Amino acid sequence: MNIQVAYEDVKVDMEIPPLTLETSTRLSVRWAAASGDDDPIHYDQNYAKGQKLPNIIINGRLKIALLSQLITNWMGPQGFLKKLEASLRGMDIVNDPITCKGLVKRKYVENARHLVEIEMWIENKEGKVTAPGSAIVILP
Amino acid sequence: MSEENVITADMEKQIGNTLNIQITQIDRRAVDQYIAATNDSNPLWQDEDFAIKAGYGGVLVPPGLLVTMQMEGGSPSDYMPAQAHLAGAIDGGGEWVFYRSIRIGDTITAVRKLNDMTEKKGKVGPMILNTIEVTYYNQRSEIVAKSCWRTFRHSTE
C-alpha cells in the first residue's frame, strides 16, 4: 500500500494482491460500533440462530468496506478510488475467513485521466463468491 | 398471500422525496473505529508525515468510511414510515462514486433520497426493493461522493 502503481505498468488480467480477513465476533462488534448498525444477527449467536441463521453473519457493508480496502491497498498513495460497486449475494459466517480478490479488466484514458477498471469479489473458505463487484481507479 | 399490491399509495408517494438529511463531523475517533473494524493499516489514514510526503495536507479519511454511514439516519422504517409494517431490511449492495477526498474535521452532509421502489418475488413471498440515493457534501458545499444503495424488505413478518 506504500508502493505507487503506475498506469503504464498495469496490464489487463493482472491480479490485485488478495486481502484476507479472519472474521470474529469481536470484529463484528467493532463494525457495529463503527457503523451504528446494531442488528444482533451480526454479533449475538443465540439471536442469530433464533432467526434461523446458521450463526452470526458478517455485515454486508463490512464486506464492501473490505473490497474498498483491497483497492486502496493496491493503488498506492497517489491513486484515487473513483467508483466502487458490489452486490451482496451470499452470507459469510463468523469465524470463517473471507478473501477479497480482483483482476484488472480494462485500462483507458478519459479526459486525460488514467483509468483502470477492476473486477473484484469476495470468496468464502469454500471458494464461493458471496459479493461480486467492480471498481474504477485513477492512477498517475 | 392476497393478490393486492404490496406497494401502497402511501409508500409510493415517497418515491423521489428527500427522506432525511444527516450532518456528521468526521473525527479521528470515527476513523479509528473504522480501522479497528476492518484492520485497514494504510498509513494514509493514520500517518501524518506519510500523508504530507504523499502530497496531501494531512491524513485522509478512508473512502470506505462512507459505507459505515449508510445506516445513519436510522432504520428504513424511521425515514420511510409508510413501510413501518414491513419486516427488517436486507442489504442488496450498492454503488459509490467518489469525487473528492475527505479529511478529518470535515463536516459531511448526507442527503438521502428514495429513488425507486419495485416489487420483487422472494422465496418467502413478495418483497420490496428500495433504491436509496445519498449525496454527500462537505462544508464547502462540494459533492464528495454519491451512493446508490439497494435494500430489500419482506411484505410480511
Side-chain angles (χ1 to χ4, degrees):
Chain A
M1 66 192 76
N2 299 354
I3 299 164
Q4 186 55 55
V5 177
Y7 177 78
E8 62 193 26
D9 295 333
V10 173
K11 305 272 186 290
V12 172
D13 291 333
M14 187 181 197
E15 189 183 342
I16 307 297
L19 170 72
T20 297
L21 184 78
E22 302 292 335
T23 68
S24 64
T25 306
R26 173 178 280 190
L27 216 58
S28 284
V29 168
R30 288 177 178 174
W31 180 262
S35 68
D37 184 351
D38 60 0
D39 189 332
I41 62 169
H42 299 306
Y43 55 82
D44 183 333
Q45 189 181 69
N46 290 337
Y47 181 88
K49 288 185 173 175
Q51 298 295 308
K52 298 177 184 167
L53 293 166
N55 205 329
I56 290 167
I57 60 169
I58 302 305
N59 194 306
R61 282 183 295 276
L62 169 57
K63 288 155 57 172
I64 294 175
L66 292 172
L67 286 170
S68 77
Q69 188 182 336
L70 171 80
I71 302 303
T72 53
N73 278 359
W74 172 73
M75 69 186 188
Q78 303 299 327
F80 183 80
L81 174 59
K82 179 65 189 159
K83 189 174 175 183
L84 172 73
E85 175 275 324
S87 293
L88 300 171
R89 298 271 173 84
M91 287 188 286
D92 283 283
I93 305 300
V94 72
N95 298 329
D96 282 353
I98 55 178
T99 302
C100 305
K101 294 183 175 178
L103 281 176
V104 172
K105 295 310 286 183
R106 187 183 168 213
K107 57 181 286 192
Y108 56 104
V109 178
E110 190 177 272
N111 298 328
R113 294 189 304 188
H114 297 142
L115 302 172
V116 175
E117 191 177 316
I118 296 151
E119 180 185 356
M120 58 187 183
W121 62 93
I122 285 184
E123 281 181 15
N124 65 15
K125 66 177 181 182
E126 283 87 30
K128 183 188 167 198
V129 173
T130 61
S134 64
I136 296 175
V137 298
I138 304 172
L139 291 179
Chain B
M1 183 57 61
S2 73
E3 291 298 317
E4 67 189 53
N5 288 340
V6 176
I7 298 176
T8 64
D10 273 353
M11 287 159 66
E12 215 160 28
K13 272 184 205 164
Q14 282 202 291
I15 298 173
N17 286 0
T18 296
L19 301 172
N20 63 16
I21 297 172
Q22 179 92 15
I23 301 171
T24 308
Q25 187 172 35
I26 309 293
D27 58 13
R28 181 73 249 171
R29 183 178 164 85
V31 175
D32 286 345
Q33 281 186 319
Y34 175 87
I35 290 168
T38 56
N39 290 348
D40 188 341
S41 58
N42 195 319
L44 263 189
W45 329 137
Q46 300 185 77
D47 184 334
E48 202 72 16
D49 289 342
F50 179 87
I52 289 169
K53 279 178 191 157
Y56 304 102
V59 293
L60 302 181
V61 171
L65 187 104
L66 286 187
V67 182
T68 69
M69 294 172 67
Q70 204 65 40
M71 277 291 285
E72 288 189 357
S75 74
S77 291
D78 294 333
Y79 49 77
M80 293 187 285
Q83 295 189 17
H85 61 291
L86 300 177
I90 301 167
D91 291 334
E95 173 185 305
W96 284 260
V97 179
F98 301 95
Y99 299 96
R100 286 177 175 78
S101 298
I102 301 175
R103 299 282 307 278
I104 289 174
D106 281 355
T107 299
I108 301 299
T109 301
V111 180
R112 185 175 276 99
K113 187 178 146 192
L114 179 60
N115 262 4
D116 196 22
M117 185 191 299
T118 53
E119 188 175 327
K120 300 276 180 191
K121 282 184 185 168
K123 285 179 187 167
V124 293
M127 297 192 301
I128 290 164
L129 171 60
N130 292 307
T131 306
I132 294 170
E133 179 189 280
V134 187
T135 306
Y136 301 90
Y137 299 87
N138 63 17
Q139 64 276 17
R140 293 176 294 279
S141 301
E142 298 163 332
I143 295 179
V144 292
K146 274 189 178 184
S147 72
C148 204
W149 186 254
R150 302 182 296 277
T151 301
F152 292 94
R153 304 195 73 187
H154 288 290
S155 64
T156 51
E157 290 287 349

